[in-house]
Amino acid sequence: MKYELVIGLETHVELNTESKIFCSCGGHSASQEPNDCVCPACSGMPGMLPVMNKHVVELAATAGLLLNCEISRYTTFDKKNYYYPDLPCAYQITQLNHPICTNGLVKLKTSEGERDIRIKQIHMEEDAGKLVHVGKASYVDFNRTSVPLIEIVTQPDFRSAEEVVVYLNKLKTMFRAGGISDCELGTMRCDVNISVRPEGSEEYGVRSEIKNMTSFESIERAIRYEAQRHMDAIEFETEVLVQETRRFDDVTGKTYAMRNKETEADYRYFPDANLMPIIIDDEWFEEIKANMPAAIDEKADEYRAAGISENEIEMIIDNHNVSTLLDAVVEMGCDPKSAVGWILTECAGVLRKNGKLIKDLDISAEKMAAIIKMVDSGDINRMNGRKTLTAVLEEDVDPAAYVKENGFDKKVDTATIEAIMDKVLAENTQALEDFRNGKVKAKQALFGACMRELKGIGDPAVIREMLDKKLG
Ligand code: ADP
Ligand code: ZN
Ligand code: MG
């Protein structure tokens, strides 16, 4: 019999906020010492009350807009009760009854054509802490407790592992471009719900939920393994499938049962009376929409229309700092293609020399635009533009002042260049003779000598052309 895979995803994404969701602890990062980022509230001390972080609501709503959801203008929090040592209050604050976003839609481009994935809902919640096991001892680290998350729940609309990966990549690109989340390993985690059914059947099969996967590779492997297990169970009656929660083991490549699927009643959800309902009024909603990043597809089309290549578009969209910088310098009147060259090639080159990556690029749009304009208008040549850029990135100098100081903006007239060229040719008889004897490389040496005499001033293209003419 032929079977069809049915998959629904629950994806947790850590939001890019400056502080936690219900307290002012900030700067949580993986490199911190355990419990360096905690306060009485997020470590569950008695009597502490949560205070909503406004930015979390804004980012969650923005994510919803990007995924074409309806945004709830009235949204509330619930307590989900369970006991585990990494959860200091013994409940997690999450949203059950009135999630912030519902009924979205994501369009995917796959090798089988275009596919629609419906988004059931997006809700806000707090993360739990982490247990650290050392030998026979266990420790608890609360740095991650109350870090803001959104959980994006899809309908069971995926039919292959490929679609899942395309979807996750799309979320990642969108959320990174929108400054919503880094979606790095560990800040994007995925629960995969999976069942199989005979092709053509309308009914869903019994599903299992594979918890907490962080790499696309594990997700693909887990789906492949689990689908096969289900098909064998149905076809050969190797086992009776039950709805349950499983974990995937990267080493064996298999999934293992963890527990029977818990139901809502198991958690004794109830409204969190410590948090007021959040009302998103018209004014706030308009503000959120106004600050929304352009949808990725539109953004990519815009870059494409400006003649930017697909590879470059991917790099730009993947790095929020790059797209913001590019948009700003273009707004200031720089040519888009030229700006892309300066940012992705020249800036990246300087960063690389300093052991950094493009995502570390931090230059003001004003300074970047000033350099691009000086070069494009012919005020300074490209080589000196590069020197100026290096000084800006490494020492944060003022580009115009730096150019003046170093005389990069001096002009030379053709007669002066002519005279210098004659002098160079007269002094470099050997190179000249080599060139006459067919050694092409010798011309480069002569050109280099001219540029040195000119102290880097003048347009290299013009000088090269003049030299060509002189050499016949
Ligand atoms: P629950 O309330 O039990 O958590 P939900 O309706 O919230 O169930 O669904 C959780 C996830 O499981 C969703 O992503 C949904 O698409 C997916 N899902 C539901 N039924 C199936 C099924 N039969 N096969 C695969 N995925 C499913
Ligand atoms: Zn705190
Ligand atoms: Mg659910």
Side-chain angles (χ1 to χ4, degrees), residues 6-10 120 153-156 193-195 204-207 243 261 264:
V6 174
I7 301 169
L9 293 185
E10 295 163 289
K120 185 177 169 196
V153 184
T154 75
Q155 296 290 357
N193 296 272
I194 174 169
S195 62
Y204 291 136
V206 176
R207 75 188 209 236
Q243 190 176 333
K261 169 80 186 163
E264 238 164 74

Side-chain angles (χ1 to χ4, degrees), residues 201-470:
S201 160
E202 290 287 312
E203 260 165 62
Y204 291 136
V206 176
R207 75 188 209 236
S208 34
E209 176 172 4
I210 314 169
K211 276 285 189 200
N212 251 330
M213 283 179 287
T214 52
S215 86
F216 291 1
E217 198 205 335
S218 309
I219 291 169
E220 277 191 281
R221 289 172 66 206
I223 291 174
R224 224 176 302 129
Y225 174 84
E226 192 64 9
Q228 193 60 51
R229 191 178 72 84
H230 282 233
M231 288 187 279
D232 289 347
I234 299 168
E235 185 103 40
F236 309 115
E237 299 181 10
T238 48
E239 58 184 311
V240 177
L241 292 173
V242 289
Q243 190 176 333
E244 64 186 357
T245 304
R246 300 177 70 87
R247 74 178 171 87
F248 176 69
D249 186 323
D250 268 312
V251 179
T252 60
K254 294 181 180 175
T255 64
Y256 300 90
M258 287 167 72
R259 52 180 189 250
N260 287 346
K261 169 80 186 163
E262 56 292 305
T263 64
E264 238 164 74
D266 293 329
Y267 289 117
R268 310 202 194 298
Y269 279 96
F270 61 88
D272 188 335
N274 294 330
L275 286 158
M276 295 290 282
I278 296 164
I279 316 272
I280 304 179
D281 62 16
D282 289 348
E283 196 187 338
W284 191 15
F285 193 43
E286 288 310 316
E287 200 182 301
I288 292 170
K289 283 198 281 192
N291 289 330
M292 207 179 101
I296 296 304
D297 297 343
E298 282 167 36
K299 197 93 209 143
D301 283 344
E302 200 181 289
Y303 291 139
R304 223 167 266 133
I308 299 168
S309 78
E310 292 302 318
N311 270 344
E312 290 168 336
I313 292 175
E314 210 181 304
M315 286 273 286
I316 296 163
I317 289 182
D318 222 28
N319 292 284
H320 190 50
N321 59 339
V322 171
S323 53
T324 321
L325 176 64
L326 176 63
D327 293 349
V329 299
V330 170
E331 180 81 8
M332 290 173 189
C334 294
D335 170 65
K337 271 185 88 158
S338 167
V340 168
W342 277 98
I343 298 171
L344 288 186
T345 310
E346 307 297 355
C347 289
V350 178
L351 290 168
R352 209 176 310 118
K353 263 201 312 213
N354 291 299
K356 291 188 192 160
L357 298 170
I358 192 76
K359 73 174 170 57
D360 304 316
L361 177 62
D362 183 17
I363 179 173
S364 82
E366 285 75 21
K367 289 185 177 180
M368 187 74 256
I371 298 175
I372 297 171
K373 284 182 186 169
M374 284 190 282
V375 175
D376 282 358
S377 65
D379 280 350
I380 63 174
N381 67 35
R382 202 169 175 87
M383 186 179 68
N384 288 330
R386 259 187 226 129
K387 285 187 192 159
T388 310
L389 177 68
T390 306
V392 170
L393 288 178
E394 290 177 354
E395 295 148 53
D396 200 29
V397 299
D398 176 70
Y402 187 82
V403 161
K404 276 240 149 51
E405 242 166 67
N406 288 279
F408 291 163
D409 57 345
K410 281 205 202 100
K411 293 280 169 284
V412 277
D413 51 39
T414 328
T416 313
I417 299 174
E418 210 59 71
I420 284 179
M421 224 166 249
D422 289 336
K423 178 170 165 255
V424 165
L425 293 184
E427 283 171 1
N428 292 272
T429 43
Q430 186 59 48
L432 187 58
E433 195 171 322
D434 287 348
F435 176 74
R436 300 262 184 252
N437 292 329
K439 256 190 155 176
V440 190
K441 261 203 196 137
K443 187 164 80 183
Q444 188 55 32
L446 290 168
F447 172 73
C450 290
M451 288 308 283
R452 262 193 306 283
E453 283 290 325
L454 283 159
K455 302 204 164 43
I457 311 301
D459 182 348
V462 173
I463 294 161
R464 203 179 285 279
E465 200 180 319
M466 286 173 67
L467 183 65
D468 278 347
K469 234 185 230 146
K470 212 171 248 327

